[in-house]
Amino acid sequence: MLLDFEVQRCTRRCAASDRALEPGDLCYSVLEVHGADVVRKDFAAESWNGPPESAVGWWKGRVPEPTAKKIKLAPNEVLLELFDQLAEQPDQADLRYVLTLLLIRRRVLRVDMGANDDAQNQMTVYCPKRDAMFDVAVNMPSGPRIDEIQNQLSELLIADAE
């Protein structure tokens, strides 16, 4: 079974305190499965206690300024090429996992929920464009490595759109 879902935009409210999240605020976002829906919850930094066990994924970011420039990500083909290159670099497993989540969000890859039922630390994804399945190590980065990966992906894949 393939999993495909929509990720809603930032709610701009802290799920823990109900405080309004202002532009520039550091916040954490979590995706959780509730029945047939994937629900996004946003948390102010001071209310963040880590992701719940039920989290499908989570990330750290800033609430954008209303006048912020739109960013433009590299084309899907470039992202897939990086995905392939990282498969040959076991020391970059956490970066490949984060890139996989990005490709799922962009609907380039889909999670295959029926594969690898026995593998807790493995995720199988399907690429419709290539008609191919890939196994990816579930390797959530921690601590300072999260910031390193965010900066690394930003330098490689994001350019200001004019």
Side-chain angles (χ1 to χ4, degrees):
M1 172 177 86
L2 295 176
L3 179 65
D4 192 15
F5 53 86
E6 234 358 91
V7 176
Q8 65 196 67
R9 293 187 181 274
C10 179
T11 60
R12 296 188 181 260
R13 295 211 76 76
C14 176
S17 67
D18 200 38
R19 167 177 92 72
L21 298 173
E22 301 296 328
D25 283 355
L26 181 64
C27 68
Y28 292 83
S29 300
V30 174
L31 296 179
E32 294 180 294
V33 175
H34 292 275
D37 297 320
V38 175
V39 177
R40 176 180 175 159
K41 294 180 182 175
D42 300 301
F43 295 87
E46 67 272 8
S47 297
W48 179 248
N49 296 316
E53 285 194 26
S54 61
V56 173
W58 65 275
W59 62 94
K60 176 175 85 170
R62 293 205 178 270
V63 177
E65 298 287 337
T67 59
K69 287 183 180 179
K70 300 272 186 200
I71 57 171
K72 182 178 179 186
L73 273 173
N76 292 342
E77 295 76 24
V78 172
L79 297 176
L80 284 170
E81 181 64 31
L82 179 59
F83 176 80
D84 290 339
Q85 290 172 11
L86 292 172
E88 305 299 323
Q89 300 175 31
D91 61 320
Q92 297 290 315
D94 55 355
L95 176 59
R96 188 169 194 243
Y97 176 66
V98 171
L99 180 60
T100 300
L101 297 176
L102 174 65
L103 289 166
I104 291 168
R105 181 158 189 227
R106 292 188 78 183
R107 298 179 181 202
V108 176
L109 300 176
R110 295 182 188 152
V111 177
D112 185 347
M113 298 300 284
N116 282 337
D117 291 336
D118 298 330
Q120 292 255 349
N121 297 325
Q122 199 77 353
M123 174 173 51
T124 301
V125 293
Y126 172 70
C127 180
K129 180 176 180 145
R130 294 180 174 177
D131 191 26
M133 303 287 269
F134 301 95
D135 289 326
V136 178
V138 175
N139 192 339
M140 182 63 77
S142 60
R145 183 66 178 138
I146 294 171
D147 291 330
E148 287 175 28
I149 287 174
Q150 184 173 359
N151 291 336
Q152 192 174 1
L153 285 175
S154 293
E155 288 174 17
L156 289 171
L157 305 174
I158 299 175
D160 289 332
E162 294 298 329

